[in-house]
Amino acid sequence: MSSTSNDSLFCREQVARSNRLSLLAQVFAAAERREALVALYALFSVIEQVCSGIKEEDVAIKRLAWWRDDLNNSLNAQGVHPLGKELIRTGAASRISMKHIYQLLLSAQARLESPVIGDTAALKQLCLETGWPLVELEWALCGRDSNQPGLEGLAVRAGLAQLIRESAGENAHQMWWIPMNLLARHGLARNRLDEPSLDEAATALSRELLSMEGCNDRQAEPRCDDISTGEADLRHFFVLDALYARKFRKLEKATPLNLREGLLKVGPADVFAAWRAARTVNRLR
């Protein structure tokens, strides 16, 4: 197998481990964008794994600094990591900027500090700050300006999905981002979320988390004012957003510690939902 094939396989396997919904959504992207999107999603995945898989904060910060340097080299056609080389090969490196990557890394570093989240308003702001760099990079890759009305809701859903995916590894029993007032309301503590006797309260907590304003409502379906020009460049983006909203509705009966597993699963119903969302985008073009 050639080195190029190995780099491509690395990125696809990286995304498959953490965000299979994005692999499903990119199928509906313009053909010339699909490989670049997989490389970009792999970038999101490796940053996610720094946040979820490294216990020592100083080690995680050093790892983020390493990625900053390697990605800077990649954007100057000098990447050495398989991810960096794939960003170059697919043309993604020529479309995204270090300004957007810095925002992605700064957001990740802020999450490593596990700030106290007091209520759902603070959680929604955290979701926005987590999801916005993802939106900016994806729109830049497609040659679009993300400074558009109506994108904040999409960023909030992407951010919440990212927080859930990061609740793995060393963070599985922390879920530091669950608001304090919700834990108190349901008589729970983060270190007791896995107790079977508290499953009913934990499920009620999940339901309240996932029904946060704008996260799982039907308004997440693609709408004409979201799509603007309606070109195929962004079809996958609205498909992925619709898939997130659908997943959040379906996961309301799961306990918090089962949210990541549920978000990772992709079945025939998800494929049909993606096709239906893509069809809606096509109809609104």
Side-chain angles (χ1 to χ4, degrees):
M1 184 179 291
S2 68
S3 60
T4 296
S5 298
N6 283 331
D7 297 341
S8 178
L9 181 61
F10 169 86
C11 289
R12 187 164 290 275
E13 290 180 342
Q14 188 75 34
V15 181
R17 281 196 294 268
S18 65
N19 192 356
R20 294 171 189 165
L21 288 177
S22 63
L23 277 184
L24 173 57
Q26 63 85 30
V27 171
F28 297 92
E32 66 273 13
R33 291 278 183 270
R34 291 172 192 161
E35 288 188 318
L37 281 167
V38 172
L40 183 65
Y41 293 147
L43 167 59
F44 297 163
S45 178
V46 296
I47 300 305
E48 170 192 316
Q49 289 176 9
V50 172
C51 292
S52 65
I54 300 178
K55 185 176 182 179
E56 297 81 7
E57 183 179 337
D58 58 336
V59 175
I61 289 174
K62 289 179 181 177
R63 187 61 176 168
L64 290 176
W66 185 91
W67 275 113
R68 179 198 62 212
D69 293 342
D70 190 74
L71 291 167
N72 188 50
N73 288 335
S74 296
L75 265 59
N76 290 294
Q78 298 173 350
V80 295
H81 190 278
L83 171 57
K85 291 190 287 185
E86 189 67 0
L87 287 169
I88 295 169
R89 185 190 71 81
T90 62
S94 65
R95 289 179 166 269
I96 59 180
S97 72
M98 277 308 297
K99 179 186 75 170
H100 294 144
I101 289 177
Y102 282 146
Q103 289 303 313
L104 178 72
L105 297 173
L106 286 173
S107 173
Q109 183 167 331
R111 296 196 299 280
L112 292 174
E113 298 171 1
S114 305
V116 174
I117 305 300
D119 53 29
T120 52
L123 174 59
K124 186 175 181 179
Q125 182 61 32
L126 174 65
C127 290
L128 177 60
E129 292 170 357
T130 301
W132 191 252
L134 311 180
V135 171
E136 282 191 318
L137 280 162
E138 194 157 344
W139 278 55
L141 179 64
C142 295
R144 301 301 191 83
D145 181 6
S146 58
N147 187 24
Q148 304 287 339
L151 288 185
E152 285 194 1
L154 283 74
V156 167
R157 287 186 284 277
L160 179 57
Q162 182 79 3
L163 291 173
I164 291 172
R165 289 194 300 268
E166 288 177 359
S167 299
E170 295 293 343
N171 290 334
H173 292 275
Q174 297 178 25
M175 301 192 80
W176 57 268
W177 46 270
I178 296 179
M180 298 287 290
N181 69 332
L182 292 191
L183 289 168
R185 182 180 305 161
H186 295 283
L188 294 167
R190 289 187 181 86
N191 62 357
R192 299 184 63 195
L193 291 174
D194 58 346
E195 293 185 17
S197 61
L198 298 175
D199 276 358
E200 185 175 348
T203 300
L205 172 62
S206 288
R207 187 181 308 114
E208 196 161 354
L209 278 173
L210 298 176
S211 62
M212 184 173 60
E213 181 184 0
C215 279
N216 67 3
D217 53 35
R218 295 290 178 180
Q219 293 181 354
E221 296 296 327
R223 300 186 304 278
C224 191
D225 56 341
D226 287 329
I227 296 170
S228 63
T229 62
E231 293 180 11
D233 279 5
L234 292 172
R235 180 171 53 199
H236 71 280
F237 182 83
F238 295 102
V239 168
L240 181 57
D241 182 59
L243 288 173
Y244 281 150
R246 177 183 179 276
K247 277 290 188 182
F248 293 155
R249 291 195 295 271
K250 297 295 183 182
L251 289 174
E252 284 187 354
K253 296 181 181 180
T255 63
L257 293 182
N258 289 326
L259 292 178
R260 184 181 184 274
E261 180 183 357
L263 195 61
L264 187 60
K265 288 182 178 178
V266 174
D270 298 298
V271 175
F272 177 74
W275 171 81
R276 186 177 63 183
R279 185 182 178 193
T280 300
V281 174
N282 288 339
R283 191 165 61 243
L284 295 175
R285 289 172 62 183

